[in-house]
Amino acid sequence: AQKITQTQPGMFVQEKEAVTLDCTYDTSDPSYGLFWYKQPSSGEMIFLIYQGSYDQQNATEGRYSLNFQKARKSANLVISASQLGDSAMYFCAMRGTNAGGTSYGKLTFGQGTILTVHP
Amino acid sequence: GEEVAQTPKHLVRGEGQKAKLYCAPIKGHSYVFWYQQVLKNEFKFLISFQNENVFDETGMPKERFSAKCLPNSPCSLEIQATKLEDSAVYFCASSQSPGNTEAFFGQGTRLTVV
């Protein structure tokens, strides 16, 4: 079984500052992938960043980076230079594999963190 | 198409009525996933398909819910005899493989049962 925990129901950040959104996970799968999605108030799900459990480097995509600490089972999202348009709900999610290495395909989501960026 | 297309965007049904939601995956994507989002945060996996075959149905309620992906047709999710608790946003996602580094989501269908 997989579990994703996002302990911050809401976060506030000043425009242009950096913010870290926490995500911890629990799994016994031999390999897995970690995802972050953004859901603005309009409702669509926007893929932000992916980290594979065997990736040596932390993933980065523009202003988004993933602080992956495998031993601590954490995959925190760091948003640098926050913008007003970053205000949204953010979801951490995981996809695992079975013992044979086949991906389950489905994503397990955390509860989400609402980020509010203040001008 | 280049995006996952879900229809309708909004659906209102009286309790006990049937609801049918549609999803056209991105062209070339063999895998389709359905999720239910309740109360703007809790995501629940329902079912996935590899082409027209069920890949994983472990999240699918045994009663009232059914889904299909037929060749040359949008995939569908059908809820028989809807209940108030079925009110949610239903998302469809597609990917080329189950282990892809990204799953592309549709815009969702908001189902309101009154």
Side-chain angles (χ1 to χ4, degrees), chain A residues 38-115:
Chain A
K38 173 184 178 182
Q39 188 176 42
S41 56
S42 48
E44 70 268 31
M45 290 288 282
I46 302 167
F47 166 76
L48 296 178
I49 196 166
Y50 168 84
Q51 177 85 43
S53 59
Y54 284 103
D55 292 344
Q56 296 296 316
Q57 308 247 1
N58 282 349
T60 59
E61 288 284 349
R63 293 186 299 112
Y64 304 109
S65 59
L66 202 152
N67 184 1
F68 180 47
Q69 297 187 45
K70 195 171 182 178
R72 297 179 64 180
K73 294 192 173 181
S74 74
N76 298 339
L77 177 71
V78 180
I79 306 175
S80 62
S82 297
Q83 301 172 356
L84 296 177
D86 294 335
S87 293
M89 176 77 92
Y90 288 81
F91 289 96
C92 180
M94 162 185 275
R95 169 186 285 166
T97 63
N98 61 22
T102 301
S103 173
Y104 293 118
K106 63 187 175 187
L107 293 170
T108 300
F109 285 87
Q111 309 92 312
T113 296
I114 300 176
L115 176 67

Side-chain angles (χ1 to χ4, degrees), chain A residues 95 103 105, chain B residues 28-31 33 94-103:
Chain A
R95 169 186 285 166
S103 173
Chain B
H29 283 193
S30 306
Y31 289 81
F33 305 83
S94 74
S95 63
Q96 290 177 314
S97 75
N100 250 47
T101 58
E102 184 175 348

Side-chain angles (χ1 to χ4, degrees), chain A residues 20-49:
Chain A
T20 298
L21 305 184
D22 293 342
C23 172
T24 57
Y25 60 91
D26 191 23
T27 183
S28 54
D29 293 341
S31 69
Y32 47 89
L34 296 152
F35 300 74
W36 278 91
Y37 283 87
K38 173 184 178 182
Q39 188 176 42
S41 56
S42 48
E44 70 268 31
M45 290 288 282
I46 302 167
F47 166 76
L48 296 178
I49 196 166

